[in-house]
Amino acid sequence: MPKLLMAMDQGTTSSRCVLFDKRLNIVSSAQLEFSQIFPKEGWVEHDALEILQTQMESARQAMAKAGVTGKDIAAIGIANQRETVVVWDKRTGRPISNAIVWQCRRTAEACDELKKAGFAPIAKAKTGLVVDAYFSATKLAWMLENVEGARKLAEEGNALFGTIDSWLIWNMTKGQVHATDYTNASRTMLFNIRELKWDQEILDWLKIPAQMLPEAKPSSHVFGMADLFGTEVPIAGAAGDQQAALFGQCCFTPGEVKNTYGTGCFILMNTGEKAIEPEGGMLTTIAWGLDGKVEYAVEGSVFVAGAAIQWLRDGLSIISQASETDELAQSVENTAGVYMVPAFVGLGAPYWDQYARGIISGITRGANRAHVVRAALESIAYQSYDVIKAMETASGLAAKAIKVDGGASRNNFLMQFQADILGMEVIRADIAESTALGAACLAGLATGVYSSKDEILENRRMAEVFKPKMELEDAERLLAGWKKAVARCLEG
Ligand code: ADP
């Protein structure tokens, strides 16, 4: 019996491969960066062939480090950057242009026009999304309009569309399988998340030929056999990176939340078999397709989280590295009334003011560097609090403990403060690789490595639990101060 699970974690800046044993220990990993292409202001592209090449090379390196071959790999699971669009010629396998990356804003105006024409309620009801350039739909429509010969190729049935998971699956199966999973499909703004199919009305709005779309499949499912350097290995799992992280964090029951503290925060709450009506700027999305059914999640994000710490370092130069902030924040008892609202790019849920800008408020003569640093960390927790509360309102579910990962989740002060403000346990996993782990587990379930989600839970070790210690009154007083600070920086 092959022993290992291979996770391909295809991110925005790097392609990683992680090998896990059945107990979910990391056996080896490898990571390669690839080019970020910025042809114009606000435009972001990737070379899909470079993505494929770095992904396969990271797999080769991870296997070499572990001293294993394809025969030792039971299954492959893919977690990938979401929404990014690739179109390729199925006869040659060549992409027709660079991939348009999720961050790319080139279709912002097209989205405004769609909204004016009345598309927003349709998109919201069917896809759970707000009309935004972020999602794949308008990027694909842009390619069909603007890449020479693209529409003709698509109409002839020779152009294939895929998000990065489809692109990898198609290539690894040597063009045998053109498929995606429900989670990736749910981020395209072309997929009906309740009926689980590409939505013809939306395809008509965007003039997208249905024949170029991949087949949408469950996330835990044998998509096909990959040629892994000469050995056939099943590709048995695929999910968008945030959903993979939700799964890797074992947020299996409704109300469980994961928060990834990176540059921004990505927060998802499992809502079970119920796709809630998206409201308050939250998105409704498919959490995974597994065991013959689909479960849903509500998703919200904080734009500036770790980026506020980067600003302390690079903008203010009051710290030299992010990790210093933990001790500095704990060197003072509180922020002495200082609040920072890092609305560098406006404020998201629940305020939705794109013109808001950052402030530091409540400064008195006694305030010093440590207070400001502490206020910056606290702002990450307050913003996460706001999103989680908005999710509770949108879903009608009470959040259970939150499970955390990402670079800034290493900060003990921040995690304790988060637990205190939420009045809820914050659970930090011992393996920071939730995304890769989720992909591996989805693949393990589809191939019988695991018989059930319970078996995964048994193998998942949670390193640290931060229990709320603050008095409720104190938390409420601090939150009231936060709301006041936010009110000061709102424009609208
Ligand atoms: P991303 O995937 O978005 O690049 P990471 O998960 O690698 O982000 O996390 C990096 C972010 O976390 C940076 O913005 C950095 O400022 C912040 N960060 C890293 N370590 C710490 C720490 N110990 N305390 C606070 N913030 C941190």
Side-chain angles (χ1 to χ4, degrees):
M1 252 305 254
K3 304 175 297 290
L4 304 179
L5 289 167
M6 172 180 281
M8 292 187 162
D9 180 1
Q10 205 304 304
T12 307
T13 58
S14 72
S15 299
R16 294 170 52 69
C17 178
V18 186
L19 295 179
F20 293 95
D21 65 18
K22 189 178 168 175
R23 303 285 325 278
L24 295 174
N25 299 304
I26 294 179
V27 176
S28 69
S29 70
Q31 175 166 358
L32 281 103
E33 297 200 348
F34 55 86
S35 320
Q36 304 294 314
I37 304 164
F38 306 109
K40 285 189 191 180
E41 205 191 316
W43 290 33
V44 189
E45 297 179 353
H46 289 159
D47 175 350
L49 288 170
E50 193 185 355
I51 285 183
L52 177 65
Q53 183 262 322
T54 51
Q55 190 60 65
M56 296 316 291
E57 176 58 19
S58 73
R60 199 192 58 74
Q61 289 184 10
M63 287 164 71
K65 277 188 200 170
V68 300
T69 68
K71 293 195 176 58
D72 300 301
I73 312 288
I76 300 170
I78 298 171
N80 57 285
Q81 53 167 319
R82 304 178 300 176
E83 297 108 11
T84 297
V85 169
V86 191
V87 174
W88 65 98
D89 185 328
K90 77 173 182 196
R91 299 164 302 183
T92 62
R94 308 272 322 165
I96 63 162
S97 67
N98 281 333
I100 304 184
V101 179
W102 59 273
Q103 296 155 320
C104 186
R105 302 303 303 169
R106 81 182 62 184
T107 58
E109 275 179 26
C111 287
D112 289 341
E113 278 164 29
L114 281 167
K115 281 190 260 184
K116 260 190 243 149
F119 181 61
I122 298 169
K124 189 172 156 182
K126 294 185 169 202
T127 71
L129 305 174
V130 296
V131 177
D132 194 276
Y134 194 87
F135 305 109
S136 318
T138 56
K139 299 180 197 294
L140 174 54
W142 187 95
M143 273 192 195
L144 289 169
E145 284 308 306
N146 294 282
V147 176
E148 208 187 317
R151 182 166 300 283
K152 186 161 169 283
L153 202 66
E155 279 165 3
E156 288 166 2
N158 285 319
L160 299 180
F161 153 78
T163 41
I164 297 292
D165 55 319
S166 308
W167 168 244
L168 294 176
I169 291 169
W170 191 84
N171 277 285
M172 286 196 284
T173 60
K174 300 194 155 163
Q176 297 295 307
V177 180
H178 183 219
T180 187
D181 94 295
Y182 292 148
T183 70
N184 275 292
S186 78
R187 309 295 298 188
T188 59
M189 208 167 77
L190 299 171
F191 195 69
N192 190 313
I193 60 169
R194 293 184 176 79
E195 294 172 11
L196 302 180
K197 59 178 200 209
W198 302 110
D199 193 277
Q200 192 55 50
E201 185 185 0
I202 294 182
L203 298 180
D204 292 342
W205 268 84
L206 291 150
K207 302 193 185 69
I208 292 171
Q211 57 190 359
M212 72 187 303
L213 304 175
E215 212 177 323
K217 297 281 190 186
S219 320
S220 179
H221 158 85
V222 177
F223 288 84
M225 299 304 282
D227 175 6
L228 194 63
F229 313 112
T231 309
E232 286 212 327
V233 178
I235 303 174
D241 50 11
Q242 298 307 321
Q243 283 92 337
L246 188 71
F247 198 77
Q249 285 280 21
C250 300
C251 292
F252 296 151
T253 58
E256 283 191 287
V257 176
K258 78 95 192 170
N259 191 359
T260 303
Y261 296 81
T263 309
C265 286
F266 275 104
I267 309 175
L268 268 80
M269 178 196 270
N270 181 324
T271 62
E273 290 179 58
K274 189 173 90 180
I276 63 150
E277 290 297 323
E279 59 168 271
M282 299 289 128
L283 305 175
T284 303
T285 197
I286 294 179
W288 42 74
L290 174 75
D291 295 337
K293 63 179 191 213
V294 154
E295 289 178 82
Y296 295 89
V298 53
E299 174 168 337
S301 46
V302 169
F303 305 145
V304 175
I309 307 304
Q310 286 168 6
W311 179 72
L312 297 180
R313 187 192 62 196
D314 307 334
L316 285 187
S317 306
I318 60 171
I319 55 166
S320 55
Q321 53 189 19
S323 55
E324 275 171 46
T325 58
D326 200 347
E327 222 182 286
L328 255 174
Q330 299 197 51
S331 74
V332 287
E333 247 167 59
N334 52 46
T335 67
V338 174
Y339 282 90
M340 179 191 291
V341 187
F344 303 162
V345 292
L347 275 179
Y351 311 105
W352 296 108
D353 184 343
Q354 58 173 324
Y355 302 106
R357 288 297 175 263
I359 57 163
I360 300 176
S361 70
I363 302 168
T364 56
R365 183 63 185 85
N368 64 34
R369 179 169 83 105
H371 295 120
V372 172
V373 166
R374 182 166 170 138
L377 287 171
E378 290 187 358
S379 79
I380 301 174
Y382 289 130
Q383 293 181 92
S384 296
Y385 170 94
D386 284 336
V387 171
I388 292 168
K389 289 292 151 187
M391 284 179 165
E392 288 185 326
T393 307
S395 66
L397 290 166
K400 292 183 197 153
I402 75 167
K403 297 181 174 172
V404 302
D405 50 53
S409 75
R410 286 194 295 265
N411 190 304
N412 290 332
F413 167 76
L414 172 59
M415 294 302 104
Q416 183 59 49
F417 190 76
Q418 186 74 79
D420 285 342
I421 283 299
L422 279 167
M424 210 180 283
E425 284 186 355
V426 168
I427 302 170
R428 184 167 63 193
D430 70 340
I431 293 184
E433 303 272 1
S434 310
T435 306
L437 202 128
C441 291
L442 287 167
L445 276 170
T447 47
V449 174
Y450 303 112
S451 55
S452 67
K453 286 187 283 192
D454 288 341
E455 203 184 339
I456 293 172
L457 263 173
E458 281 163 22
N459 285 299
R460 184 83 166 111
R461 291 168 299 279
M462 297 298 165
E464 233 157 328
V465 179
F466 297 85
K467 290 189 191 319
K469 289 190 192 139
M470 194 182 277
E471 297 293 332
L472 188 64
E473 270 169 41
D474 292 333
E476 280 174 353
R477 187 175 40 78
L478 289 171
L479 281 162
W482 164 252
K483 298 275 175 210
K484 233 162 114 182
V486 168
R488 289 201 172 110
C489 84
L490 294 177
E491 262 298 303

